[in-house]
């Protein structure tokens, strides 16, 4: 789980993050740091609730800069899928459980469904769409195909992104290290052993072995 950290500030592991923060609590806890609060409030039975304005953010996604206006509650996954039409990151549980939405924030894998878009302002994001170059699949993608590392394929982009994070910091992972790197990813088809084979094969390809 050591590679499941958020990028800046105190590292937060993906599952530790969930233990410490519910989705709503997370929004409430971090929003004021990033958002400009408008003067107005909404009156409710529970009292006055502050209204936060939209914020303009910049994201460098797969090497291309995008400037966007986002709501306080928009997650990185919302923005990638719904504003940038990058549907590689999958919305499966939408709750920080499955890893289908995994993207890299710089070199760190994060659950984009649990990461507020405003927190990613100015940062580099890599999605599975950013891996192939010049029409050639990345070695990890080739290895998943060669080793049948998918069945329905719904979890695959998340596994590929976690694989990339692993292989960027460990060129020759053993089986335990591979399992550890996938501790935040679930495959409902139970294709784990073929996925592990695919990562070993991808590591060989990336080493040129
Ligand atoms: S969709 Fe994000 S963890 Fe499941
Ligand atoms: S291949 Fe179907 S969920 Fe993993």
């Amino acid at each position: 789980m050591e590679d499941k950290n958020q990028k800046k500030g105190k590292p937060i592991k993906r599952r530790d993050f969930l233990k410490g923060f519910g989705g709503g609590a997370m929004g409430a806890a971090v929003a004021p740091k990033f958002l400009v609060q408008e003067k107005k409030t909404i009156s409710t039975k529970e009292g006055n609730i502050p209204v936060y304005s939209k914020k303009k953010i910049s994201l460098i996604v797969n090497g291309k800069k995008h400037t966007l206006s986002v709501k306080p509650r928009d997650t990185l996954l919302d923005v990638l899928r719904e504003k940038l039409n990058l549907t590689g990151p999958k919305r499966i549980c939408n709750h920080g459980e499955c890893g289908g939405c995994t993207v890299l924030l710089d070199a760190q894998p994060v659950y984009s469904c649990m990461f507020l878009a405003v927190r990613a302002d100015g940062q580099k994001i890599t999605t599975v769409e950013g891996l192939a170059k010049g029409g050639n699949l990345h070695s990890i993608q080739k290895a998943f195909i060669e080793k049948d590392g998918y069945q329905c394929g719904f979890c695959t982009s998340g596994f590929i992104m976690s694989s990339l994070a692993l292989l960027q910091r460990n060129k020759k992972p053993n089986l335990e290290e591979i399992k550890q790197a996938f501790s935040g990813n679930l495959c409902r088809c139970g294709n784990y052993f073929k996925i592990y084979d695919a990562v070993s094969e991808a590591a060989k390809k990336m080493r040129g072995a």
Side-chain angles (χ1 to χ4, degrees):
M1 289 287 299
E2 293 309 316
D3 59 327
K4 312 288 168 52
N5 299 337
Q6 289 179 295
K7 177 65 180 63
K8 286 196 169 173
K10 191 178 173 190
I12 302 173
K13 296 172 190 174
R14 283 197 285 187
R15 291 215 185 276
D16 288 351
F17 174 85
L18 295 173
K19 285 181 201 159
F21 299 90
M26 172 194 72
V30 300
K33 286 170 62 178
F34 296 96
L35 302 170
V36 178
Q37 186 181 334
E38 290 179 349
K39 295 262 186 277
K40 60 188 174 187
T41 57
I42 298 173
S43 249
T44 70
K45 278 190 279 183
E46 286 76 33
N48 289 341
I49 296 174
V51 176
Y52 293 99
S53 56
K54 280 190 175 181
K55 186 177 188 309
K56 199 169 264 192
I57 62 167
S58 294
L59 301 177
I60 300 152
V61 183
N62 300 329
K64 189 172 169 196
K65 185 172 177 183
H66 300 269
T67 301
L68 306 144
S69 184
V70 299
K71 294 181 201 146
R73 66 169 183 271
D74 285 341
T75 63
L76 184 54
L77 183 63
D78 294 331
V79 170
L80 292 172
R81 289 183 62 89
E82 289 155 30
K83 290 186 187 282
L84 300 181
N85 292 322
L86 294 170
T87 55
K90 295 288 180 274
R91 192 190 301 281
I92 306 176
C93 69
N94 205 30
H95 207 64
E97 294 289 342
C98 71
C101 62
T102 301
V103 300
L104 300 196
L105 197 69
D106 284 342
Q108 300 294 338
V110 297
Y111 287 152
S112 59
C113 73
M114 296 295 289
F115 201 97
L116 288 177
V118 288
R119 294 199 76 189
D121 187 19
Q123 300 201 57
K124 289 182 190 160
I125 317 293
T126 307
T127 71
V128 73
E129 288 91 342
L131 300 194
K133 300 287 179 226
N136 291 317
L137 292 178
H138 190 280
S139 296
I140 299 173
Q141 293 169 307
K142 288 180 186 165
F144 268 72
I145 293 169
E146 287 169 19
K147 296 291 179 181
D148 290 330
Y150 54 89
Q151 289 186 38
C152 76
F154 220 56
C155 67
T156 308
S157 62
F159 273 96
I160 286 175
M161 297 316 291
S162 291
S163 303
L164 180 61
L166 169 67
L167 297 179
Q168 281 179 340
R169 63 180 169 73
N170 181 351
K171 294 192 183 337
K172 201 172 179 184
N174 60 34
L175 182 57
E176 279 313 304
E177 290 167 330
I178 293 171
K179 288 180 179 176
Q180 185 75 7
F182 290 148
S183 59
N185 293 82
L186 298 177
C187 173
R188 286 163 183 75
C189 297
N191 204 36
Y192 292 102
F193 287 101
K194 290 193 173 177
I195 292 171
Y196 302 153
D197 279 352
V199 177
S200 296
E201 178 63 23
K204 278 189 213 156
K205 287 183 189 300
M206 289 170 73
R207 294 196 307 271

